[in-house]
Short mmCIF file of all heavy atoms in Angstrom, two decimals:
data_model
loop_
_atom_site.label_atom_id
_atom_site.label_comp_id
_atom_site.label_asym_id
_atom_site.label_seq_id
_atom_site.Cartn_x
_atom_site.Cartn_y
_atom_site.Cartn_z
N LYS A 2 20.02 -19.26 -17.37
CA LYS A 2 20.55 -18.48 -16.28
C LYS A 2 19.44 -18.00 -15.37
O LYS A 2 19.59 -17.61 -14.24
CB LYS A 2 21.43 -17.35 -16.67
CG LYS A 2 20.67 -16.23 -17.34
CD LYS A 2 21.63 -15.08 -17.66
CE LYS A 2 20.91 -13.80 -18.23
NZ LYS A 2 21.78 -12.68 -18.48
N TYR A 3 18.20 -17.94 -15.91
CA TYR A 3 17.07 -17.50 -15.06
C TYR A 3 16.41 -18.58 -14.20
O TYR A 3 15.53 -18.29 -13.43
CB TYR A 3 15.95 -16.90 -16.06
CG TYR A 3 16.48 -15.62 -16.76
CD1 TYR A 3 16.85 -15.73 -18.07
CD2 TYR A 3 16.49 -14.48 -16.13
CE1 TYR A 3 17.33 -14.63 -18.72
CE2 TYR A 3 16.95 -13.31 -16.80
CZ TYR A 3 17.34 -13.42 -18.12
OH TYR A 3 17.78 -12.30 -18.79
N ILE A 4 16.90 -19.86 -14.36
CA ILE A 4 16.38 -20.90 -13.55
C ILE A 4 16.81 -20.66 -12.09
O ILE A 4 18.00 -20.31 -11.78
CB ILE A 4 16.96 -22.30 -14.01
CG1 ILE A 4 16.36 -22.56 -15.40
CG2 ILE A 4 16.46 -23.40 -13.00
CD1 ILE A 4 16.91 -23.88 -15.94
N GLY A 5 15.86 -20.70 -11.12
CA GLY A 5 16.22 -20.43 -9.77
C GLY A 5 15.10 -19.72 -9.09
O GLY A 5 13.96 -19.62 -9.54
N VAL A 6 15.44 -19.15 -7.92
CA VAL A 6 14.46 -18.46 -7.12
C VAL A 6 14.70 -16.94 -7.14
O VAL A 6 15.79 -16.37 -6.88
CB VAL A 6 14.54 -18.88 -5.64
CG1 VAL A 6 13.44 -18.16 -4.80
CG2 VAL A 6 14.31 -20.44 -5.53
N TRP A 7 13.65 -16.13 -7.58
CA TRP A 7 13.71 -14.74 -7.66
C TRP A 7 12.80 -14.21 -6.50
O TRP A 7 11.72 -14.64 -6.38
CB TRP A 7 13.31 -14.22 -9.01
CG TRP A 7 14.22 -14.77 -10.00
CD1 TRP A 7 14.23 -15.95 -10.61
CD2 TRP A 7 15.29 -14.06 -10.74
NE1 TRP A 7 15.23 -16.11 -11.57
CE2 TRP A 7 15.90 -14.88 -11.68
CE3 TRP A 7 15.82 -12.75 -10.56
CZ2 TRP A 7 16.97 -14.51 -12.42
CZ3 TRP A 7 16.92 -12.39 -11.34
CH2 TRP A 7 17.49 -13.24 -12.30
N ALA A 8 13.29 -13.15 -5.83
CA ALA A 8 12.52 -12.71 -4.68
C ALA A 8 12.33 -11.14 -4.55
O ALA A 8 13.24 -10.44 -5.09
CB ALA A 8 13.18 -13.18 -3.37
N GLU A 9 11.27 -10.70 -3.91
CA GLU A 9 11.03 -9.30 -3.78
C GLU A 9 11.08 -9.09 -2.19
O GLU A 9 10.27 -9.70 -1.54
CB GLU A 9 9.72 -8.91 -4.27
CG GLU A 9 9.37 -7.41 -3.99
CD GLU A 9 7.84 -7.16 -4.12
OE1 GLU A 9 7.06 -8.16 -3.90
OE2 GLU A 9 7.46 -6.07 -4.35
N TYR A 10 11.93 -8.24 -1.70
CA TYR A 10 11.98 -8.00 -0.28
C TYR A 10 11.45 -6.60 -0.09
O TYR A 10 11.97 -5.60 -0.50
CB TYR A 10 13.45 -8.07 0.18
CG TYR A 10 14.03 -9.36 0.13
CD1 TYR A 10 14.80 -9.79 -1.07
CD2 TYR A 10 13.87 -10.34 1.07
CE1 TYR A 10 15.29 -11.04 -1.12
CE2 TYR A 10 14.41 -11.61 1.01
CZ TYR A 10 15.07 -11.97 -0.18
OH TYR A 10 15.64 -13.20 -0.26
N THR A 11 10.34 -6.50 0.69
CA THR A 11 9.73 -5.22 1.02
C THR A 11 9.72 -4.79 2.48
O THR A 11 10.20 -3.75 2.83
CB THR A 11 8.24 -5.19 0.55
OG1 THR A 11 8.20 -5.47 -0.90
CG2 THR A 11 7.60 -3.91 0.73
N PHE A 12 9.30 -5.81 3.29
CA PHE A 12 9.15 -5.46 4.74
C PHE A 12 10.26 -6.11 5.58
O PHE A 12 10.35 -5.96 6.77
CB PHE A 12 7.82 -5.80 5.26
CG PHE A 12 7.42 -7.27 4.97
CD1 PHE A 12 7.84 -8.23 5.74
CD2 PHE A 12 6.58 -7.45 3.86
CE1 PHE A 12 7.43 -9.56 5.42
CE2 PHE A 12 6.14 -8.85 3.63
CZ PHE A 12 6.64 -9.88 4.38
N SER A 13 11.04 -6.97 4.95
CA SER A 13 12.10 -7.73 5.76
C SER A 13 13.21 -8.17 4.89
O SER A 13 12.98 -8.50 3.75
CB SER A 13 11.49 -8.96 6.45
OG SER A 13 12.51 -9.76 7.00
N ASP A 14 14.48 -8.10 5.30
CA ASP A 14 15.63 -8.58 4.59
C ASP A 14 15.69 -10.09 4.63
O ASP A 14 16.49 -10.71 3.77
CB ASP A 14 16.93 -8.05 5.11
CG ASP A 14 17.02 -6.45 4.89
OD1 ASP A 14 16.36 -6.06 3.95
OD2 ASP A 14 17.79 -5.87 5.67
N ASP A 15 14.95 -10.79 5.44
CA ASP A 15 15.07 -12.26 5.56
C ASP A 15 13.84 -12.89 4.94
O ASP A 15 13.97 -14.05 4.40
CB ASP A 15 15.16 -12.65 7.04
CG ASP A 15 16.39 -12.04 7.71
OD1 ASP A 15 17.41 -12.00 7.17
OD2 ASP A 15 16.19 -11.56 8.89
N VAL A 16 12.68 -12.25 4.92
CA VAL A 16 11.47 -12.91 4.48
C VAL A 16 11.01 -12.21 3.19
O VAL A 16 10.62 -11.03 3.28
CB VAL A 16 10.33 -12.91 5.54
CG1 VAL A 16 9.07 -13.60 4.94
CG2 VAL A 16 10.80 -13.61 6.81
N PRO A 17 10.98 -12.80 2.06
CA PRO A 17 10.56 -12.15 0.86
C PRO A 17 9.05 -12.01 0.79
O PRO A 17 8.25 -12.94 1.31
CB PRO A 17 10.99 -13.10 -0.31
CG PRO A 17 11.11 -14.44 0.41
CD PRO A 17 11.45 -14.21 1.78
N GLU A 18 8.51 -10.93 0.35
CA GLU A 18 7.14 -10.68 0.20
C GLU A 18 6.51 -11.55 -0.96
O GLU A 18 5.40 -12.10 -0.91
CB GLU A 18 6.78 -9.19 0.00
CG GLU A 18 5.25 -8.97 -0.09
CD GLU A 18 4.92 -7.57 -0.16
OE1 GLU A 18 5.85 -6.71 -0.14
OE2 GLU A 18 3.73 -7.20 -0.24
N THR A 19 7.32 -11.63 -2.06
CA THR A 19 6.84 -12.44 -3.23
C THR A 19 8.05 -13.18 -3.75
O THR A 19 9.21 -12.72 -3.81
CB THR A 19 6.35 -11.47 -4.39
OG1 THR A 19 5.40 -10.58 -3.78
CG2 THR A 19 5.62 -12.33 -5.40
N GLU A 20 7.81 -14.36 -4.24
CA GLU A 20 8.84 -15.23 -4.87
C GLU A 20 8.36 -15.74 -6.20
O GLU A 20 7.30 -16.22 -6.32
CB GLU A 20 9.28 -16.42 -3.94
CG GLU A 20 10.10 -15.94 -2.72
CD GLU A 20 10.67 -17.19 -2.00
OE1 GLU A 20 9.84 -18.14 -1.77
OE2 GLU A 20 11.84 -17.18 -1.62
N LEU A 21 9.23 -15.73 -7.13
CA LEU A 21 9.06 -16.31 -8.44
C LEU A 21 10.14 -17.49 -8.58
O LEU A 21 11.33 -17.16 -8.53
CB LEU A 21 9.26 -15.40 -9.56
CG LEU A 21 9.36 -15.95 -11.00
CD1 LEU A 21 8.02 -16.60 -11.39
CD2 LEU A 21 9.66 -14.84 -11.94
N ILE A 22 9.68 -18.73 -8.69
CA ILE A 22 10.60 -19.84 -8.80
C ILE A 22 10.44 -20.34 -10.18
O ILE A 22 9.45 -20.86 -10.58
CB ILE A 22 10.26 -20.97 -7.73
CG1 ILE A 22 10.37 -20.46 -6.26
CG2 ILE A 22 11.14 -22.13 -7.97
CD1 ILE A 22 9.12 -19.97 -5.74
N ILE A 23 11.62 -20.28 -10.94
CA ILE A 23 11.65 -20.90 -12.24
C ILE A 23 12.34 -22.12 -12.12
O ILE A 23 13.53 -22.32 -11.88
CB ILE A 23 12.41 -19.96 -13.22
CG1 ILE A 23 11.60 -18.61 -13.42
CG2 ILE A 23 12.53 -20.68 -14.59
CD1 ILE A 23 12.29 -17.60 -14.28
N ASN A 24 11.63 -23.30 -12.20
CA ASN A 24 12.20 -24.63 -11.95
C ASN A 24 12.87 -25.20 -13.12
O ASN A 24 13.89 -25.89 -12.95
CB ASN A 24 10.98 -25.56 -11.53
CG ASN A 24 10.43 -25.20 -10.19
OD1 ASN A 24 11.11 -24.94 -9.28
ND2 ASN A 24 9.08 -25.17 -10.07
N ASN A 25 12.40 -24.90 -14.34
CA ASN A 25 13.03 -25.45 -15.56
C ASN A 25 12.58 -24.64 -16.76
O ASN A 25 11.58 -24.20 -16.85
CB ASN A 25 12.60 -26.93 -15.72
CG ASN A 25 13.36 -27.61 -16.78
OD1 ASN A 25 14.59 -27.50 -16.87
ND2 ASN A 25 12.70 -28.34 -17.70
N ILE A 26 13.58 -24.59 -17.75
CA ILE A 26 13.32 -23.99 -19.04
C ILE A 26 13.81 -24.92 -20.05
O ILE A 26 14.94 -25.28 -20.20
CB ILE A 26 14.06 -22.60 -19.14
CG1 ILE A 26 13.51 -21.61 -18.11
CG2 ILE A 26 13.79 -22.03 -20.60
CD1 ILE A 26 14.23 -20.27 -18.20
N ASP A 27 12.90 -25.36 -20.94
CA ASP A 27 13.18 -26.35 -21.97
C ASP A 27 12.76 -25.68 -23.28
O ASP A 27 11.60 -25.68 -23.63
CB ASP A 27 12.42 -27.67 -21.74
CG ASP A 27 12.70 -28.71 -22.78
OD1 ASP A 27 13.72 -28.47 -23.59
OD2 ASP A 27 12.08 -29.74 -22.82
N GLY A 28 13.70 -25.16 -24.05
CA GLY A 28 13.35 -24.39 -25.25
C GLY A 28 12.62 -23.18 -24.88
O GLY A 28 13.14 -22.30 -24.12
N ASN A 29 11.40 -23.05 -25.29
CA ASN A 29 10.51 -21.84 -24.87
C ASN A 29 9.51 -22.23 -23.84
O ASN A 29 8.70 -21.42 -23.52
CB ASN A 29 9.86 -21.29 -26.18
CG ASN A 29 8.80 -22.30 -26.70
OD1 ASN A 29 8.83 -23.45 -26.55
ND2 ASN A 29 7.95 -21.71 -27.57
N LYS A 30 9.57 -23.49 -23.34
CA LYS A 30 8.69 -23.90 -22.32
C LYS A 30 9.24 -23.61 -20.87
O LYS A 30 10.38 -24.01 -20.61
CB LYS A 30 8.39 -25.35 -22.40
CG LYS A 30 7.28 -25.91 -21.45
CD LYS A 30 7.07 -27.42 -21.75
CE LYS A 30 6.07 -27.93 -20.73
NZ LYS A 30 5.86 -29.42 -20.94
N VAL A 31 8.49 -23.02 -20.04
CA VAL A 31 8.96 -22.62 -18.65
C VAL A 31 8.01 -23.22 -17.59
O VAL A 31 6.84 -23.10 -17.68
CB VAL A 31 8.91 -21.12 -18.49
CG1 VAL A 31 9.47 -20.70 -17.14
CG2 VAL A 31 9.69 -20.41 -19.66
N ASP A 32 8.67 -23.95 -16.67
CA ASP A 32 7.99 -24.48 -15.50
C ASP A 32 8.24 -23.55 -14.37
O ASP A 32 9.42 -23.29 -13.98
CB ASP A 32 8.44 -25.90 -15.13
CG ASP A 32 8.08 -26.96 -16.29
OD1 ASP A 32 7.05 -26.72 -16.90
OD2 ASP A 32 8.90 -27.82 -16.45
N TYR A 33 7.16 -23.00 -13.71
CA TYR A 33 7.39 -21.97 -12.76
C TYR A 33 6.43 -22.00 -11.63
O TYR A 33 5.39 -22.75 -11.68
CB TYR A 33 7.34 -20.60 -13.37
CG TYR A 33 5.95 -20.20 -13.83
CD1 TYR A 33 5.15 -19.29 -13.05
CD2 TYR A 33 5.37 -20.62 -14.98
CE1 TYR A 33 3.89 -18.95 -13.42
CE2 TYR A 33 4.10 -20.28 -15.38
CZ TYR A 33 3.35 -19.49 -14.57
OH TYR A 33 2.08 -19.13 -14.92
N GLU A 34 6.68 -21.30 -10.55
CA GLU A 34 5.80 -21.13 -9.39
C GLU A 34 5.86 -19.69 -8.91
O GLU A 34 6.92 -19.09 -9.03
CB GLU A 34 6.15 -22.07 -8.31
CG GLU A 34 6.13 -23.54 -8.74
CD GLU A 34 6.72 -24.47 -7.57
OE1 GLU A 34 7.15 -23.93 -6.58
OE2 GLU A 34 6.71 -25.69 -7.83
N ILE A 35 4.78 -19.12 -8.36
CA ILE A 35 4.71 -17.84 -7.78
C ILE A 35 4.12 -17.93 -6.43
O ILE A 35 3.12 -18.59 -6.19
CB ILE A 35 3.85 -16.87 -8.67
CG1 ILE A 35 4.38 -16.81 -10.05
CG2 ILE A 35 3.83 -15.43 -8.05
CD1 ILE A 35 3.54 -16.03 -10.99
N MET A 36 4.82 -17.34 -5.38
CA MET A 36 4.28 -17.33 -4.04
C MET A 36 4.27 -15.93 -3.48
O MET A 36 5.16 -15.18 -3.56
CB MET A 36 5.17 -18.28 -3.16
CG MET A 36 4.83 -19.72 -3.30
SD MET A 36 6.06 -20.88 -2.68
CE MET A 36 7.13 -20.86 -4.11
N PHE A 37 3.08 -15.64 -2.89
CA PHE A 37 2.87 -14.33 -2.20
C PHE A 37 2.78 -14.62 -0.71
O PHE A 37 1.91 -15.43 -0.24
CB PHE A 37 1.62 -13.66 -2.61
CG PHE A 37 1.63 -13.33 -4.06
CD1 PHE A 37 1.21 -14.21 -5.07
CD2 PHE A 37 2.15 -12.02 -4.50
CE1 PHE A 37 1.21 -13.86 -6.43
CE2 PHE A 37 2.11 -11.73 -5.92
CZ PHE A 37 1.65 -12.67 -6.81
N TYR A 38 3.69 -14.02 0.04
CA TYR A 38 3.80 -14.32 1.48
C TYR A 38 2.47 -14.10 2.22
O TYR A 38 1.87 -13.10 2.26
CB TYR A 38 4.80 -13.46 2.15
CG TYR A 38 5.11 -13.74 3.58
CD1 TYR A 38 5.68 -14.92 4.04
CD2 TYR A 38 4.83 -12.74 4.61
CE1 TYR A 38 5.88 -15.14 5.40
CE2 TYR A 38 5.08 -12.96 5.96
CZ TYR A 38 5.60 -14.17 6.36
OH TYR A 38 5.91 -14.34 7.60
N ARG A 39 1.96 -15.21 2.83
CA ARG A 39 0.68 -15.29 3.58
C ARG A 39 -0.54 -14.94 2.79
O ARG A 39 -1.63 -14.79 3.43
CB ARG A 39 0.78 -14.36 4.80
CG ARG A 39 1.87 -14.90 5.86
CD ARG A 39 1.86 -13.93 7.10
NE ARG A 39 2.75 -14.36 8.15
CZ ARG A 39 2.96 -13.74 9.24
NH1 ARG A 39 2.42 -12.55 9.46
NH2 ARG A 39 3.82 -14.27 10.17
N LEU A 40 -0.46 -14.95 1.52
CA LEU A 40 -1.61 -14.59 0.67
C LEU A 40 -2.02 -15.75 -0.23
O LEU A 40 -3.27 -16.07 -0.16
CB LEU A 40 -1.32 -13.24 -0.15
CG LEU A 40 -1.08 -12.08 0.62
CD1 LEU A 40 -0.78 -10.87 -0.37
CD2 LEU A 40 -2.27 -11.64 1.50
N ALA A 41 -1.12 -16.19 -1.14
CA ALA A 41 -1.46 -17.15 -2.07
C ALA A 41 -0.29 -17.79 -2.64
O ALA A 41 0.75 -17.25 -2.60
CB ALA A 41 -2.34 -16.54 -3.21
N GLY A 42 -0.53 -19.01 -3.24
CA GLY A 42 0.53 -19.69 -3.84
C GLY A 42 0.09 -20.35 -5.14
O GLY A 42 -1.05 -20.90 -5.30
N TYR A 43 0.96 -20.31 -6.24
CA TYR A 43 0.63 -20.96 -7.54
C TYR A 43 1.73 -21.91 -7.86
O TYR A 43 2.86 -21.56 -8.24
CB TYR A 43 0.50 -19.82 -8.56
CG TYR A 43 -0.56 -18.85 -8.27
CD1 TYR A 43 -0.25 -17.69 -7.50
CD2 TYR A 43 -1.88 -19.05 -8.59
CE1 TYR A 43 -1.29 -16.81 -7.16
CE2 TYR A 43 -2.95 -18.21 -8.30
CZ TYR A 43 -2.65 -17.05 -7.53
OH TYR A 43 -3.59 -16.14 -7.20
N TYR A 44 1.48 -23.22 -7.73
CA TYR A 44 2.45 -24.25 -7.94
C TYR A 44 2.18 -25.03 -9.21
O TYR A 44 1.06 -25.06 -9.81
CB TYR A 44 2.38 -25.18 -6.81
CG TYR A 44 2.47 -24.51 -5.39
CD1 TYR A 44 1.35 -24.30 -4.55
CD2 TYR A 44 3.68 -24.00 -5.00
CE1 TYR A 44 1.45 -23.62 -3.40
CE2 TYR A 44 3.81 -23.36 -3.80
CZ TYR A 44 2.69 -23.21 -2.99
OH TYR A 44 2.83 -22.61 -1.80
N ASN A 45 3.24 -25.59 -9.76
CA ASN A 45 3.17 -26.50 -10.99
C ASN A 45 2.51 -25.79 -12.15
O ASN A 45 1.58 -26.23 -12.75
CB ASN A 45 2.35 -27.81 -10.64
CG ASN A 45 3.04 -28.55 -9.47
OD1 ASN A 45 4.21 -28.64 -9.40
ND2 ASN A 45 2.13 -29.03 -8.56
N GLN A 46 3.05 -24.61 -12.48
CA GLN A 46 2.53 -23.86 -13.63
C GLN A 46 3.46 -23.95 -14.78
O GLN A 46 4.66 -24.14 -14.63
CB GLN A 46 2.44 -22.36 -13.20
CG GLN A 46 1.54 -22.09 -12.00
CD GLN A 46 0.06 -22.44 -12.14
OE1 GLN A 46 -0.49 -22.18 -13.22
NE2 GLN A 46 -0.58 -23.06 -11.19
N THR A 47 2.90 -23.85 -16.01
CA THR A 47 3.67 -23.90 -17.25
C THR A 47 3.24 -22.69 -18.11
O THR A 47 2.09 -22.39 -18.27
CB THR A 47 3.39 -25.19 -18.03
OG1 THR A 47 3.85 -26.29 -17.18
CG2 THR A 47 4.22 -25.24 -19.31
N ALA A 48 4.23 -22.09 -18.83
CA ALA A 48 3.95 -21.05 -19.72
C ALA A 48 5.07 -21.13 -20.85
O ALA A 48 5.99 -21.97 -20.79
CB ALA A 48 3.88 -19.69 -19.12
N TYR A 49 5.09 -20.13 -21.78
CA TYR A 49 6.09 -20.15 -22.89
C TYR A 49 6.72 -18.80 -23.10
O TYR A 49 5.98 -17.76 -22.95
CB TYR A 49 5.39 -20.64 -24.17
CG TYR A 49 4.93 -22.06 -24.08
CD1 TYR A 49 3.66 -22.42 -23.42
CD2 TYR A 49 5.70 -23.08 -24.45
CE1 TYR A 49 3.21 -23.68 -23.42
CE2 TYR A 49 5.28 -24.45 -24.35
CZ TYR A 49 4.01 -24.70 -23.81
OH TYR A 49 3.61 -26.00 -23.68
#
């Protein structure tokens, strides 16, 4: 149920300041991405 896009809205209701994208969960393996608006992006990440 946690697969999807999770967002933090601070300065705008339309543009999230931070996003956590959980692309897939296979057992205890998680494929995810983290994006900080206009600051940095972390793509194709894996954790457990």
